[in-house]
Amino acid sequence: QLQLVESGGGLVQPGGSLRLSCAASGFTLDSYAIGWFRQAPGKEREGVSYISSSGITNYADSVKGRFTLSRDNAKNTVYLQMNSLKPEDTGAYYCAADRNIHPSIWVNRYRYHHWGQGTRVTVSS
């Protein structure tokens, strides 16, 4: 059974850093596209970052230069390193997976059929 488990969320001050993990089981991550999404209270879920099965990465404009996505095939885990965090980065963060999601449509959350339960990030002083 395909499963995704996020971890690494928490409370951090503005300017701080967190590293989120998305551990996969039941499939090999490098054969799927992986997206990170977040949802702030009262807002729609939005795309944060993406990595294709071939390793192409994309980022939302709001996180470019601050967030870095990487994949460890040996651990079957994707990481989202988040630096220079801002209060507006607060929300529940989810990883999602599906096959054959072209880089041009990575932000479309409806294209992902496999989701983790999420991990909460709070950026506050």
Side-chain angles (χ1 to χ4, degrees), residues 41-53:
K43 293 189 176 181
E44 295 220 345
R45 194 169 296 189
E46 62 176 359
V48 175
S49 185
Y50 154 93
I51 185 166
S52 71
S53 57

Side-chain angles (χ1 to χ4, degrees), residues 7 11-12 18 23 27 30 33 39 41-43 52 61 67 69 81 84 105 113 121 125:
S7 61
L11 173 64
V12 63
L18 284 173
F27 72 107
D30 62 1
Q39 188 165 18
K43 293 189 176 181
S52 71
D61 287 343
F67 290 13
L69 192 153
Q81 178 67 43
S84 303
I105 60 168
H113 292 94
V121 172
S125 55

Side-chain angles (χ1 to χ4, degrees), residues 85-103:
L85 283 162
K86 304 175 181 180
E88 51 264 43
D89 294 318
T90 293
Y93 281 69
Y94 302 88
C95 64
D98 218 303
R99 291 186 182 273
N100 301 323
I101 296 183
H102 193 271

Side-chain angles (χ1 to χ4, degrees), residues 23 38 49 56:
R38 68 184 179 191
S49 185
I56 296 171

Side-chain angles (χ1 to χ4, degrees), residues 3 6 13-15 22-23 25 29 32 36 44-45 55 59 72 75 88-89 93-94 102 108 110 114-115:
Q3 188 174 15
E6 304 94 333
Q13 292 187 342
C22 172
S25 59
L29 269 178
Y32 280 67
W36 277 100
E44 295 220 345
R45 194 169 296 189
Y59 299 91
D72 186 331
K75 295 184 178 180
E88 51 264 43
D89 294 318
Y93 281 69
Y94 302 88
H102 193 271
N108 185 346
Y110 299 107
H114 308 286
W115 290 82

